[in-house]
PDB file of all heavy atoms in Angstrom:
ATOM      1  N   LEU A 161     -11.643  22.782  -8.941  1.00 97.00           N
ATOM      2  CA  LEU A 161     -11.775  22.750  -7.494  1.00 97.00           C
ATOM      3  C   LEU A 161     -13.236  22.630  -7.091  1.00 97.00           C
ATOM      4  O   LEU A 161     -14.134  23.294  -7.657  1.00 97.00           O
ATOM      5  CB  LEU A 161     -11.223  24.120  -6.933  1.00 97.00           C
ATOM      6  CG  LEU A 161      -9.815  24.195  -6.449  1.00 97.00           C
ATOM      7  CD1 LEU A 161      -8.881  23.244  -7.244  1.00 97.00           C
ATOM      8  CD2 LEU A 161      -9.302  25.625  -6.540  1.00 97.00           C
ATOM      9  N   ILE A 162     -13.474  21.785  -6.134  1.00 97.00           N
ATOM     10  CA  ILE A 162     -14.838  21.628  -5.591  1.00 97.00           C
ATOM     11  C   ILE A 162     -14.847  21.958  -4.137  1.00 97.00           C
ATOM     12  O   ILE A 162     -14.005  21.463  -3.369  1.00 97.00           O
ATOM     13  CB  ILE A 162     -15.323  20.173  -5.837  1.00 97.00           C
ATOM     14  CG1 ILE A 162     -15.392  19.829  -7.332  1.00 97.00           C
ATOM     15  CG2 ILE A 162     -16.741  20.032  -5.120  1.00 97.00           C
ATOM     16  CD1 ILE A 162     -15.885  18.447  -7.540  1.00 97.00           C
ATOM     17  N   ASP A 163     -15.727  22.862  -3.717  1.00 95.00           N
ATOM     18  CA  ASP A 163     -15.798  23.314  -2.332  1.00 95.00           C
ATOM     19  C   ASP A 163     -14.449  23.931  -1.941  1.00 95.00           C
ATOM     20  O   ASP A 163     -13.940  23.716  -0.876  1.00 95.00           O
ATOM     21  CB  ASP A 163     -16.171  22.173  -1.372  1.00 95.00           C
ATOM     22  CG  ASP A 163     -16.306  22.662   0.062  1.00 95.00           C
ATOM     23  OD1 ASP A 163     -16.909  23.716   0.260  1.00 95.00           O
ATOM     24  OD2 ASP A 163     -15.793  21.978   0.966  1.00 95.00           O
ATOM     25  N   ALA A 164     -13.860  24.594  -2.953  1.00 93.00           N
ATOM     26  CA  ALA A 164     -12.598  25.275  -2.669  1.00 93.00           C
ATOM     27  C   ALA A 164     -12.470  26.377  -3.728  1.00 93.00           C
ATOM     28  O   ALA A 164     -13.157  26.341  -4.742  1.00 93.00           O
ATOM     29  CB  ALA A 164     -11.417  24.267  -2.792  1.00 93.00           C
ATOM     30  N   TYR A 165     -11.558  27.312  -3.464  1.00 92.00           N
ATOM     31  CA  TYR A 165     -11.442  28.378  -4.433  1.00 92.00           C
ATOM     32  C   TYR A 165     -10.024  28.763  -4.762  1.00 92.00           C
ATOM     33  O   TYR A 165      -9.151  28.857  -3.841  1.00 92.00           O
ATOM     34  CB  TYR A 165     -12.226  29.617  -3.994  1.00 92.00           C
ATOM     35  CG  TYR A 165     -12.006  30.802  -4.873  1.00 92.00           C
ATOM     36  CD1 TYR A 165     -12.663  30.913  -6.061  1.00 92.00           C
ATOM     37  CD2 TYR A 165     -11.111  31.823  -4.559  1.00 92.00           C
ATOM     38  CE1 TYR A 165     -12.450  31.978  -6.944  1.00 92.00           C
ATOM     39  CE2 TYR A 165     -10.863  32.897  -5.383  1.00 92.00           C
ATOM     40  CZ  TYR A 165     -11.550  32.957  -6.568  1.00 92.00           C
ATOM     41  OH  TYR A 165     -11.311  34.013  -7.436  1.00 92.00           O
ATOM     42  N   SER A 166      -9.736  28.992  -5.994  1.00 92.00           N
ATOM     43  CA  SER A 166      -8.541  29.606  -6.454  1.00 92.00           C
ATOM     44  C   SER A 166      -8.823  30.366  -7.709  1.00 92.00           C
ATOM     45  O   SER A 166      -9.538  29.879  -8.580  1.00 92.00           O
ATOM     46  CB  SER A 166      -7.414  28.582  -6.673  1.00 92.00           C
ATOM     47  OG  SER A 166      -6.463  29.144  -7.575  1.00 92.00           O
ATOM     48  N   PRO A 167      -8.334  31.599  -7.869  1.00 93.00           N
ATOM     49  CA  PRO A 167      -8.628  32.316  -9.118  1.00 93.00           C
ATOM     50  C   PRO A 167      -8.000  31.648 -10.339  1.00 93.00           C
ATOM     51  O   PRO A 167      -8.425  31.934 -11.433  1.00 93.00           O
ATOM     52  CB  PRO A 167      -7.962  33.704  -8.823  1.00 93.00           C
ATOM     53  CG  PRO A 167      -6.984  33.442  -7.737  1.00 93.00           C
ATOM     54  CD  PRO A 167      -7.506  32.294  -6.923  1.00 93.00           C
ATOM     55  N   MET A 168      -7.085  30.769 -10.122  1.00 95.00           N
ATOM     56  CA  MET A 168      -6.421  30.131 -11.277  1.00 95.00           C
ATOM     57  C   MET A 168      -7.203  28.960 -11.870  1.00 95.00           C
ATOM     58  O   MET A 168      -6.873  28.561 -12.981  1.00 95.00           O
ATOM     59  CB  MET A 168      -5.004  29.680 -10.890  1.00 95.00           C
ATOM     60  CG  MET A 168      -4.072  30.869 -10.517  1.00 95.00           C
ATOM     61  SD  MET A 168      -2.460  30.331 -10.076  1.00 95.00           S
ATOM     62  CE  MET A 168      -1.953  29.454 -11.575  1.00 95.00           C
ATOM     63  N   PHE A 169      -8.117  28.433 -11.113  1.00 96.00           N
ATOM     64  CA  PHE A 169      -8.871  27.279 -11.613  1.00 96.00           C
ATOM     65  C   PHE A 169     -10.350  27.437 -11.534  1.00 96.00           C
ATOM     66  O   PHE A 169     -10.863  28.200 -10.729  1.00 96.00           O
ATOM     67  CB  PHE A 169      -8.467  26.034 -10.814  1.00 96.00           C
ATOM     68  CG  PHE A 169      -6.974  25.814 -10.723  1.00 96.00           C
ATOM     69  CD1 PHE A 169      -6.371  25.887  -9.506  1.00 96.00           C
ATOM     70  CD2 PHE A 169      -6.229  25.581 -11.852  1.00 96.00           C
ATOM     71  CE1 PHE A 169      -4.976  25.681  -9.399  1.00 96.00           C
ATOM     72  CE2 PHE A 169      -4.892  25.338 -11.774  1.00 96.00           C
ATOM     73  CZ  PHE A 169      -4.254  25.406 -10.578  1.00 96.00           C
ATOM     74  N   THR A 170     -11.052  26.726 -12.395  1.00 97.00           N
ATOM     75  CA  THR A 170     -12.491  26.675 -12.251  1.00 97.00           C
ATOM     76  C   THR A 170     -12.812  26.131 -10.872  1.00 97.00           C
ATOM     77  O   THR A 170     -12.308  25.099 -10.469  1.00 97.00           O
ATOM     78  CB  THR A 170     -13.072  25.732 -13.331  1.00 97.00           C
ATOM     79  OG1 THR A 170     -12.950  26.390 -14.613  1.00 97.00           O
ATOM     80  CG2 THR A 170     -14.541  25.443 -13.057  1.00 97.00           C
ATOM     81  N   SER A 171     -13.653  26.906 -10.132  1.00 96.00           N
ATOM     82  CA  SER A 171     -13.965  26.520  -8.783  1.00 96.00           C
ATOM     83  C   SER A 171     -15.454  26.441  -8.571  1.00 96.00           C
ATOM     84  O   SER A 171     -16.193  27.277  -9.042  1.00 96.00           O
ATOM     85  CB  SER A 171     -13.365  27.613  -7.826  1.00 96.00           C
ATOM     86  OG  SER A 171     -12.002  27.828  -8.069  1.00 96.00           O
TER      87      SER A 171
END
Side-chain angles (χ1 to χ4, degrees):
Chain A
L161 266 30
I162 298 180
D163 185 43
Y165 174 78
S166 157
M168 293 179 61
F169 308 115
T170 289
S171 308

